[in-house]
Amino acid sequence: MLGADALNLVMMVAESGMIDSSIAEVLSRPQFLTAAKSNPNIKPTIKNHILKWRGKVKHKMTKVCETERIQEELALYQEVIHWSENEFYDQIDNIIIKLEWHSSFYIEASKLVKNNKGLFNPMFPRFFCERWYESLSDAIKKAQLTELKEDKEKLLADLYQRIETLKTMESVTVEGDEAQIGKLWDMASAKLTKSNVDIMKLHARFLNKNKGLQDIASKLGRMANEAPDNDRSQAIAEDVKVVEEKSDFVTDDIVGIQEGDDLSRLLPNETLFLSHPELEVIFYQHLVDKRLMNYRMEGADRKLRKVTAHSRASSDTLIEKGPFVVCVDASGSMSGFPEQCAKALAYGLMQIALAEGRDCYVILFSTQQITYELTKQDGLKEVADFLSYKFHGGTDLEPVLEQSIQLMHGDKYKNADLVVLSDFIAPTQSEHIDTMVQEVKQHKNRFHAVCLSKYGNPALMAMFDHTWSYHPSMLGRLTQIR
């Protein structure tokens, strides 16, 4: 265990300004200045990223003393500084021997002892320990600088990668606000290949050409706010207000003269009593009797006060939106235009999730299930992988509904929107599934269906809260694909 002096030494070096100097140097790089100029919303995102890095690297820098060599020397130093002069002179040769194998102070320490040989100088132990402290400080600083340099290089590489990825995504996503940029920044650590970008561009263009799909995505994004919420009628409204109250103790204005004993508000003519020894006793008598002439002050005392009211909350109060769980039918019957629609719509929901700070999960289902988390740290790779997947196999809706319903029982999926994108060419589900759906709806989860075929089973879609049908005519498809 390190002593207080040793710990203070490590913290002092870590907080010596080295990290802030590195941050200033990083932010002055042309790459970041250019990125901030081209997209103002990215500047606070970069700063937040660097601030998080600052906390991590500072913690790592305080850990450099945990190496065996530095720990041994710090422990020895902690022991020596508490010795008496006699103990120091008795043990000085042993100290030099212990320093020989692991301390950069060894050479200087040997010279100091040699020059002081045979002299019992009471100041020498203190001087020796001061020089030793400086040597330890330099050694820790060098170790921390090495750690800082390595971490700064990693930071720069990461920042360059994220900026490059965001620049690439400018041609794929619409320009977003600071919140959306921040979420996209978190996902931009993965390096995208040209094929990754091309596949996203392809489906982004398809979505832009199909206004009907955009309308469906937009309506799905608003569903959380339009859902009834019984809890809102019992809401308690709390607000913090600044209240001004008249007070004699706040000296904003002079409003008159009064008798009192406040020397800070004393009229100048009252001090005349103190100029003559014979009258001084009158001054003190007036002070005791609180009869000194004082300025009367008055002002407004501003206080924060929490005001609580029990009332019905506004009907347009926003409900916290949960994640999107998008179940995409990847069966062979979906190949072609329905497959393009399903992928583009899922991509559009991912963009809405980014803008609203929501998570977005995609579950591909046919004879098997594949899950993608589009908004996680390496979500852009997940997006590219999902969009590249080729649909095949048969439709098996029941397992994916069971899996989705099980997910929605957790707090993470509270108020979630389940969206099933399918041609719904499948048999009606069992009463067991319908019961599970009705039960989970009580947790404010919503069930939506987008049918991408005119042959969908209406009875199968009856369990959903909202159903859209999107299957343009062949002529319409040719117009939209062009």
Side-chain angles (χ1 to χ4, degrees):
M1 176 69 76
L2 297 178
D5 289 341
L7 287 174
N8 289 338
L9 172 63
V10 175
M11 292 301 297
M12 179 187 69
V13 176
E15 296 175 356
S16 62
M18 293 187 297
I19 302 176
D20 291 334
S21 297
S22 294
I23 290 175
E25 190 268 329
V26 167
L27 289 174
S28 64
R29 295 286 179 104
Q31 294 90 334
F32 304 125
L33 296 175
T34 303
K37 186 176 181 181
S38 62
N39 188 348
N41 286 328
I42 201 176
K43 189 174 181 180
T45 302
I46 293 177
K47 283 188 174 180
N48 289 337
H49 188 92
I50 292 177
L51 285 175
K52 291 179 182 177
W53 171 82
R54 184 186 190 279
K56 292 178 182 177
V57 78
K58 181 178 177 181
H59 178 72
K60 289 179 69 175
M61 287 172 67
T62 60
K63 296 293 185 182
V64 298
C65 64
E66 293 184 358
T67 61
E68 184 178 353
R69 181 184 68 81
I70 294 180
Q71 276 192 325
E72 288 180 0
E73 187 172 358
L74 282 170
L76 182 59
Y77 168 78
Q78 284 291 109
E79 182 182 354
V80 172
I81 60 175
H82 295 102
W83 284 352
S84 66
E85 292 174 12
N86 290 332
E87 286 178 306
F88 179 85
Y89 280 107
D90 288 342
Q91 299 291 332
I92 187 63
D93 292 333
N94 290 332
I95 296 172
I96 300 301
I97 293 172
K98 290 179 180 179
L99 291 175
E100 181 176 1
W101 299 107
H102 57 72
S103 175
S104 58
F105 183 55
Y106 169 70
I107 296 176
E108 183 181 357
S110 299
K111 289 180 180 179
L112 290 173
V113 173
K114 183 178 179 181
N115 293 337
N116 193 67
K117 201 69 174 178
L119 298 176
F120 191 83
N121 183 351
M123 298 299 295
F124 179 71
R126 181 180 180 84
F127 177 72
F128 182 91
C129 289
E130 287 176 351
R131 297 298 301 164
W132 192 0
Y133 183 89
E134 291 176 8
S135 175
L136 279 168
S137 177
D138 289 341
I140 292 173
K141 185 175 182 179
K142 287 178 182 178
Q144 291 183 337
L145 279 171
T146 301
E147 181 69 42
L148 179 60
K149 184 178 179 181
E150 292 176 357
D151 274 79
K152 187 176 75 171
E153 293 303 318
K154 293 177 183 177
L155 171 69
L156 286 170
D158 182 41
L159 291 175
Y160 292 154
Q161 174 60 62
R162 290 175 189 271
I163 289 174
E164 180 186 346
T165 301
L166 279 187
K167 189 174 181 181
T168 302
M169 291 297 294
E170 286 177 0
S171 59
V172 180
T173 58
V174 295
E175 183 178 351
D177 57 15
E178 184 180 327
Q180 182 173 355
I181 291 293
K183 186 67 175 176
L184 199 58
W185 176 271
D186 293 339
M187 299 165 57
S189 59
K191 184 175 179 61
L192 298 178
T193 64
K194 184 178 183 301
S195 61
N196 293 152
V197 177
D198 288 344
I199 194 72
M200 283 191 274
K201 284 183 179 179
L202 176 66
H203 289 88
R205 286 196 297 267
F206 185 86
L207 181 64
N208 288 333
K209 289 180 180 294
N210 286 266
K211 299 301 181 185
L213 291 176
Q214 292 184 45
D215 291 341
I216 293 173
S218 178
K219 289 176 181 177
L220 284 167
R222 295 195 300 268
M223 283 297 175
N225 287 339
E226 296 174 357
D229 186 359
N230 296 329
D231 293 342
R232 285 187 291 174
S233 61
Q234 304 297 326
I236 299 177
E238 284 194 353
D239 193 13
V240 178
K241 295 183 178 180
V242 176
V243 180
E244 291 192 356
E245 299 176 348
K246 292 291 185 181
S247 173
D248 293 336
F249 299 100
V250 181
T251 57
D252 287 344
D253 299 299
I254 299 173
V255 296
I257 297 173
Q258 64 184 9
E259 290 185 343
D261 60 350
D262 191 342
L263 298 179
S264 65
R265 302 182 183 183
L266 197 64
L267 266 65
N269 61 330
E270 290 287 332
T271 60
L272 292 175
F273 289 107
L274 297 173
S275 61
H276 300 282
E278 297 84 357
L279 300 176
E280 189 174 348
V281 67
I282 298 176
F283 177 87
Y284 290 117
Q285 183 63 47
H286 286 178
L287 177 63
V288 172
D289 296 339
K290 297 184 179 182
R291 292 172 51 203
L292 292 174
M293 301 305 293
N294 286 172
Y295 288 114
R296 184 183 171 199
M297 315 293 289
E298 190 176 273
D301 186 13
R302 296 168 180 83
K303 297 179 179 178
L304 286 176
R305 179 179 295 173
K306 182 177 285 189
V307 179
T308 304
H310 295 260
S311 61
R312 290 181 178 271
S314 173
S315 60
D316 59 355
T317 302
L318 295 180
I319 303 174
E320 182 181 355
K321 298 180 180 181
F324 283 114
V325 181
V326 187
C327 300
V328 180
D329 182 356
S331 62
S333 61
M334 285 280 290
S335 61
F337 187 76
E339 176 181 341
Q340 288 180 297
C341 290
K343 289 179 176 178
L345 185 53
Y347 185 79
L349 291 175
M350 184 267 291
Q351 290 186 313
I352 292 173
L354 287 177
E356 297 181 348
R358 305 168 70 176
D359 290 327
C360 184
Y361 303 88
V362 166
I363 304 176
L364 286 176
F365 68 94
S366 57
T367 51
Q368 60 179 348
Q369 297 175 28
I370 305 173
T371 303
Y372 299 94
E373 188 175 343
L374 304 190
T375 48
K376 68 176 185 176
Q377 288 289 328
D378 58 345
L380 294 179
K381 288 286 292 181
E382 297 271 286
V383 173
D385 291 344
F386 156 62
L387 295 177
S388 302
Y389 186 85
K390 297 298 182 183
F391 289 7
H392 61 277
T395 303
D396 195 355
L397 184 58
E398 184 165 327
V400 75
L401 286 176
E402 286 185 341
Q403 179 184 347
S404 302
I405 292 169
Q406 287 174 1
L407 288 175
M408 289 183 176
H409 281 294
D411 290 339
K412 186 177 181 180
Y413 293 86
K414 182 181 179 182
N415 204 31
D417 285 275
L418 174 71
V419 185
V420 179
L421 310 180
S422 173
D423 56 16
F424 289 96
I425 303 175
T428 305
Q429 297 301 295
S430 64
E431 291 185 8
H432 168 66
I433 291 294
D434 189 60
T435 301
M436 292 178 67
V437 170
Q438 298 306 321
E439 179 186 347
V440 82
K441 283 181 181 180
Q442 304 303 314
H443 297 277
K444 302 176 187 175
N445 294 304
R446 291 163 299 283
F447 286 73
H448 315 282
V450 180
C451 182
L452 299 171
S453 169
K454 61 182 178 181
Y455 302 109
N457 182 352
L460 177 58
M461 293 180 279
M463 72 176 75
F464 295 94
D465 297 314
H466 305 90
T467 304
W468 289 268
S469 182
Y470 189 78
H471 40 82
S473 66
M474 185 61 69
L475 179 62
R477 294 184 195 178
L478 294 174
T479 303
Q480 292 161 340
I481 292 173
R482 227 183 283 159

